[in-house]
Amino acid sequence: YPAGKGKIYVWNVLPARVWLSGELAREYRELVRGALRACEIDWQYRNDLTLHRGPYIISAVMDESVSGEPRVFRGIFADMLENDFAIVTEKAVAPGDSTILFDFEEIAGEPVRVIGTSARVISLECGEKGFSMELRAADRIRVYVRVRLPGRVSALSVEEGQGRDITGTWEWDERTDTLLLTYQSRGRSVAVSGEFAQPATDIRFKR
């Protein structure tokens, strides 16, 4: 039956019968394949289930499926299942494994973005000369925050509570324009401020 720009196919079979019968399961697959073909969509059997949601790629590769090949992604991604949201250009997902990737190609026009964090970002402000963040995390955990910024960071300070400096490390990734900050949390609010090596043009960001 036509429905808007698409079609609806109706098969009057009790779903439980399909799952209990190999013959009906095959018939169901062929019905779906035929419906897709009528819409000029080619259905190919694969061993992975991959979803794209905004900049996120969520993928799981099944074992004991149509093949034992890994699903390979190429591009510039942050691996969201790594503690430090590591930047990777290739990710191979083996059968039985899964992944969540942040695809930087999807945010090409965004100068400021929190990519991944193990702390709550209470505020993030960005101006021409630098940026500031307020973070808070659970006690006694190692915090990792990766954030895209409009300029390369040349200096950074991390303070806890009443202006007391705490030990933190940071690094800049040129490929993604992201800052990775890590520090040991003591369950208190942390103020982060940074300076840009060069002024960022026409940037005013606050959240």
Side-chain angles (χ1 to χ4, degrees), residues 104-118:
F104 283 95
E105 186 176 343
E106 296 294 324
I107 63 161
E110 290 188 46
V112 184
R113 174 88 177 231
V114 176
I115 306 301
T117 177
S118 51

Side-chain angles (χ1 to χ4, degrees), residues 90-102:
E90 182 175 301
K91 180 71 175 183
V93 188
D97 288 341
S98 58
T99 192
I100 302 175
L101 301 173
F102 187 102

